[in-house]
Each structure stands twice: as C-alpha cells, then as structure tokens.
Amino acid sequence: MAAAEKALWFIESHYSEELSLGRIAEVAGVSPFHLARLFQAMTGCSVVRYLRARRMTEAARRLAGGAPDILEVALSSGYGSHEAFTRAFGEQFGMSPASVRERGSVAGLALLEPWRTADGASVTLAEPRLARDGTRFIAGLACRYTPDTTQGIPAQWQRLMLHHAAALPKRRTAFGVFCNSDDEASFEYIAGVDVPGFGGLDPALGTLRLPAREYVVATHHGHISAIRRTWQAFVGDWLPRSGLRVADAPDFEKYSADFDDAGGIGDVEIWLPLQT
C-alpha cells in the first residue's frame, strides 16, 4: 500500500484528533519530508492544507445540519478553542460558523471531498470458505453512498466513535454492512456493532436484523485502505469462477478482535450471502 494512500486513510479516520505531519508520516511508514513530497504530487496540496480543508468541510456540514454547540464542533474538528476554529473556518470559507448554521446550507462553500486514490495492483486472494451465521442485530451509524463516494466511509466510522460510542455496548464485534441498494447503484452502509437486541438503543442509531443464512467468506489481510482491492479480487474474479450464486441480501465486513483502528491494520472478513 502506497504511503500517500495510508496517509489519506489515516487523515479521513482521525481528522478530529490532534494530527501533525510527523504522526501522519509515522503511520504511513515514511519520513515527513518524503510524505510531504508524495502527498503534494498525488493531491496537488500539502498535507496540512488537505487536513484543514477536510476538517472544515465536515464541520460546515454539521453546522448546516443544525449542530447546536459550535464549541463542540470545534473540539471534534481538532481545534482547542472557539476562537481558533472560527478563525480557521473564516479563512477557509469566508464566513463564520454561526452564519453557516443560521442559513442551514453548505451551498456555495468551497468544500473539499475525500481524495479518491487509484485502485492499484491486484491482490492474491486466500481461498474463501463457506460458513453459516446465526441471526445478528446490528446497530450503528447509517449513511448512503454510491460506488464513487465510498471514500467517505472512514469518516463515518469516526463520527460513530465520536458521537455515538457511549450508546453502544462495550467490547462488541464491529461490522460494516452494505444494504438497501437501488437501481442507481447507491446503497446504505451501516458502521456499527452487533447487539443483543434493539430495545433501549439511541433512536438516532440505524438498526438492521440479519437473519441466519449461508455465506461465502474471504479475508482481507493488511491495511484497511486496500480492502477495495480484496473486494475486487473476491467478487470480480473468484466469485464468477466459483459457481456460487449470491443472494439479493445484505453483505458485510466483519472486523477481527485485534483490528487496530488507530493504524488501520488487521484482518477483515468479507461475508457474501448465498442463494439457498
């Protein structure tokens, strides 16, 4: 996995934290000097400028959606004070956070969407296995995507941990569920955990019941930012040759217990439902 791609993933999934070029470079496995050159060549802007623009973009969306506390938005955007956040926000968009919240829209703002990296080289897929899974109840944060906007998923996980973690059971297995697709190829993605049931949960959380059924399972090894390539090898190459038929039902990614959400390293299983 290219260093710049690792850096992009880390920024997208940790932009609310206090990040420095040195910390991002450490995760990417290169020196700050080399990361700066690689990042500029790939995105056309510096690491610091990209990080600030992404923070401001997500903050603007929250404010336009009616976030009641500007200081909380500032803190979750990596700023230590209302004043510092307001100054940076004004430099980015030419208006104050309060103005964006009052008008309730991001129309006309120079938003920066997550940079989409190249697909890169294919991966060698370990032989998938057949498995049966029992009924599961999934609760988490639900968002809708198209195949061209999935780069927003790391930020969705971050929002779940920042704003909804207290409402979820501790030490549960993490799942990323793809469901509710339409004829335009858009789909709903639920970043969540398995729960005993839906009673008593925060009503702001999305929920989904996965009935017991048969699946075919492949495992992604390595950095999470390369999982798209494992999906391509599994669904685009191995599955058509397998003779198996996938059902029109939710599929999901299941994160291993030792998955490192800070570094993005660890095994992730991809579960595809089979026709019976």
Side-chain angles (χ1 to χ4, degrees), residues 118-137:
D119 289 338
S122 61
V123 300
T124 301
L125 186 71
E127 185 64 20
R129 73 181 195 277
L130 299 180
R132 180 171 179 80
D133 200 40
T135 301
R136 290 188 183 274
F137 299 92

Side-chain angles (χ1 to χ4, degrees), residues 18-232:
E18 184 176 346
L19 297 182
S20 65
L21 178 61
R23 184 183 176 197
I24 298 170
E26 182 179 3
V27 170
V30 295
S31 71
F33 172 73
H34 284 101
L35 177 62
R37 293 183 64 188
L38 289 168
F39 200 92
Q40 180 76 35
M42 189 169 86
T43 68
C45 68
S46 70
V47 175
V48 173
R49 180 179 160 198
Y50 179 88
L51 172 60
R52 185 178 69 173
R54 287 293 300 127
R55 282 172 166 170
M56 293 297 101
T57 293
E58 296 304 318
R61 288 197 169 108
R62 289 188 61 199
L63 290 164
D69 189 345
I70 293 179
L71 178 58
E72 191 278 327
V73 175
L75 295 175
S76 65
S77 300
Y79 289 85
S81 69
H82 187 294
E83 293 75 15
F85 172 70
T86 298
R87 183 167 56 252
F89 195 93
E91 291 172 355
Q92 183 72 27
F93 298 125
M95 63 176 58
S96 70
S99 297
V100 172
R101 184 177 63 180
E102 182 178 353
R103 72 174 188 163
S105 171
V106 295
L109 298 185
L111 304 179
L112 178 67
E113 302 300 338
W115 188 269
R116 189 176 185 86
T117 59
D119 289 338
S122 61
V123 300
T124 301
L125 186 71
E127 185 64 20
R129 73 181 195 277
L130 299 180
R132 180 171 179 80
D133 200 40
T135 301
R136 290 188 183 274
F137 299 92
I138 306 296
L141 187 62
C143 294
R144 182 157 288 275
Y145 296 96
T146 70
D148 293 327
T149 61
T150 55
Q151 62 268 35
I153 288 177
Q156 180 183 347
W157 279 102
Q158 184 175 193
R159 291 194 299 274
L160 175 71
M161 293 299 102
L162 281 172
H163 308 298
H164 301 284
L168 295 171
K170 300 293 186 289
R171 295 185 297 276
R172 306 297 298 186
T173 303
F175 287 81
V177 185
F178 299 80
C179 57
N180 297 328
S181 60
D182 63 18
D183 292 340
E184 302 300 321
S186 76
F187 59 88
E188 191 172 30
Y189 179 83
I190 300 178
V193 300
D194 62 332
V195 296
F198 298 144
L201 289 177
D202 183 344
L205 294 173
T207 58
L208 181 69
R209 178 182 180 274
L210 296 174
R213 66 179 313 134
E214 301 290 333
Y215 292 85
V216 58
V217 185
T219 302
H220 168 73
H221 303 286
H223 198 272
I224 187 62
S225 59
I227 195 169
R228 180 181 175 88
R229 300 173 193 173
T230 301
W231 270 97
Q232 290 172 336

Side-chain angles (χ1 to χ4, degrees), residues 231-243:
W231 270 97
Q232 290 172 336
F234 183 25
V235 179
D237 183 23
W238 184 88
L239 189 62
R241 294 186 287 104
S242 71

